[in-house]
Amino acid sequence: MSSKAETIMRGLLASAGVGTDGAQPWDMHVHDRRAYKRMLYEGVLGFGESYMDGWWDCDRLDECFFRLINANVEEAIKKDWKIVLHVGAARLFNLQSVRRAFEVGERHYDVGNDLYKAMLDQRMTYTCAYWKDAQTLDQAQEAKLDLVCRKLGLEPGMTVLDIGCGWGSFGKYAAEKYGAKVTGITVSKRQVALGTEMCKGLPVTFELIDYRDVSGQYDAVISLGMLEHVGYKNYRTYMETVHRCLKDDGIAFIHVIGSNNSITIVNSWFHKYIFPNAMNPSIGQLGEAMDHLFVMEDWHNFGPDYDPTVMAWYRNFNSAWPDLKHNYDERFYRMWTFYLLSAAASFRSRRTQLWQIVMSKKGRAQPDCRLS
């Protein structure tokens, strides 16, 4: 006999066009019926952990997520008083606040350079690629890096502060192709080590430092995929830091995953397993943070390009798993699969966006940065 939780969850899944043990590739195949109760009471955390524990599977996990997001299953739970009464005080998402700056470096970016080398493009660019005229991941990532350089108006000898520099893909490209001098800062020890090795002989330096502690002034201050780790309480501090480090005639640039709505909570599963304390800013939150500091010169959205980017990462990861599995266990494989395919679905559904924002200080001439 089905439990109450199973009946409710089956109904919610069916409302999204997702069956259980059906023939559609996005249907769930439940191996342990305790998964229903776990998903209903623990929300996204229980959904992810029950998958990691092998309690259910799906042939096309990305398409399953896509349908659940489009059907707004989360809101259905919140608005149906009968379900709310049954679940009680449980929430679909656990609420958590932004705290430790270096935690994400230690728990995510330091997980293993072998993993990222296998998953990413040859330059190890861990942000959205630009697929407008590209056919491969390598081409799309180079197109993105070049787009950034052109929006900045880079010329030989210009100095750039790269906040959240990763393994230095932008710094290396900007130095090689445009003759720029780049200082990269990160909270990941392994990124500093590998980035320094990859950029050897180029005017690119790395520092293990929190963005709030950076000093100096630069012709350009950028961040590619870092603002997601700042948190809504610190958006203003981030903008003030950029303003302080930017020369009066310089260019500020942000490449960031954006939310359609202003949020002040973190996804409980992503917080626990992937990006501690991460959240995506909204237009309103960023506008408030840059108020009286910057002129917004250009705002470019190519969020749909993140879907093929993440799917390319997943294919690379999946193909490399026979070699990677000697350093990671099966639960990690399921966790990483859940992470990548749920992310792809979020962009596919347009729940999340990818913005490139160009800003300048008040008083300077308008830069020629509208290249999209």
Side-chain angles (χ1 to χ4, degrees), residues 145-206:
L145 294 174
D146 197 68
L147 180 65
V148 175
C149 291
R150 289 186 289 119
K151 286 182 177 182
L152 294 175
L154 279 190
E155 295 178 358
M158 288 180 63
T159 58
V160 183
L161 173 64
D162 185 355
I163 301 175
C165 61
W167 295 272
S169 64
F170 169 80
K172 190 172 189 292
Y173 186 90
E176 289 176 338
K177 305 294 184 179
Y178 286 84
K181 299 177 181 179
V182 183
T183 299
I185 67 170
T186 176
V187 293
S188 167
K189 294 178 181 178
R190 292 194 176 189
Q191 286 185 336
V192 169
L194 183 57
T196 300
E197 178 185 329
M198 294 174 66
C199 295
K200 187 176 181 180
L202 294 170
V204 181
T205 59
F206 294 82

Side-chain angles (χ1 to χ4, degrees), residues 59-263:
D59 293 338
R60 284 295 306 273
L61 199 56
D62 56 318
E63 284 294 307
C64 176
F65 289 134
F66 173 70
R67 283 160 174 77
L68 294 176
I69 293 171
N70 270 351
N72 220 357
V73 170
E74 174 188 353
E75 291 302 314
I77 291 178
K78 291 179 179 178
K79 291 178 180 178
D80 190 323
W81 68 268
K82 292 176 289 185
I83 296 178
V84 171
L85 183 64
H86 180 70
V87 174
R91 298 288 300 273
L92 186 61
F93 291 95
N94 292 335
L95 309 184
Q96 308 223 16
S97 62
V98 177
R99 294 172 185 168
R100 297 165 293 275
F102 284 79
E103 186 178 0
V104 69
E106 296 167 355
R107 288 177 50 189
H108 186 81
Y109 297 106
D110 285 345
V111 69
N113 283 335
D114 59 338
L115 169 67
Y116 293 112
K117 284 181 178 179
M119 184 179 84
L120 303 177
D121 64 302
Q122 62 181 358
R123 289 184 176 273
M124 293 185 69
T125 311
Y126 197 18
T127 49
C128 181
Y130 190 50
W131 293 86
K132 185 177 179 181
D133 298 310
Q135 300 298 318
T136 68
L137 180 61
D138 286 335
Q139 291 173 353
Q141 290 293 16
E142 289 225 354
K144 186 270 298 298
L145 294 174
D146 197 68
L147 180 65
V148 175
C149 291
R150 289 186 289 119
K151 286 182 177 182
L152 294 175
L154 279 190
E155 295 178 358
M158 288 180 63
T159 58
V160 183
L161 173 64
D162 185 355
I163 301 175
C165 61
W167 295 272
S169 64
F170 169 80
K172 190 172 189 292
Y173 186 90
E176 289 176 338
K177 305 294 184 179
Y178 286 84
K181 299 177 181 179
V182 183
T183 299
I185 67 170
T186 176
V187 293
S188 167
K189 294 178 181 178
R190 292 194 176 189
Q191 286 185 336
V192 169
L194 183 57
T196 300
E197 178 185 329
M198 294 174 66
C199 295
K200 187 176 181 180
L202 294 170
V204 181
T205 59
F206 294 82
E207 293 184 48
L208 184 69
I209 189 175
D210 179 60
Y211 71 95
R212 286 160 285 208
D213 297 325
V214 72
S215 60
Q217 283 202 314
Y218 301 81
D219 297 308
V221 179
I222 75 167
S223 65
L224 307 181
M226 178 272 178
L227 195 58
E228 298 89 335
H229 303 301
V230 167
Y232 75 100
K233 292 182 179 179
N234 301 305
Y235 293 148
R236 181 67 178 185
T237 301
Y238 170 87
M239 292 295 180
E240 290 172 343
T241 301
V242 173
H243 189 272
R244 170 170 53 82
C245 294
L246 185 67
K247 293 180 181 179
D248 288 343
D249 60 347
I251 292 290
F253 179 94
I254 299 169
H255 173 112
V256 61
I257 296 172
S259 173
N260 293 332
N261 308 303
S262 295
I263 59 174

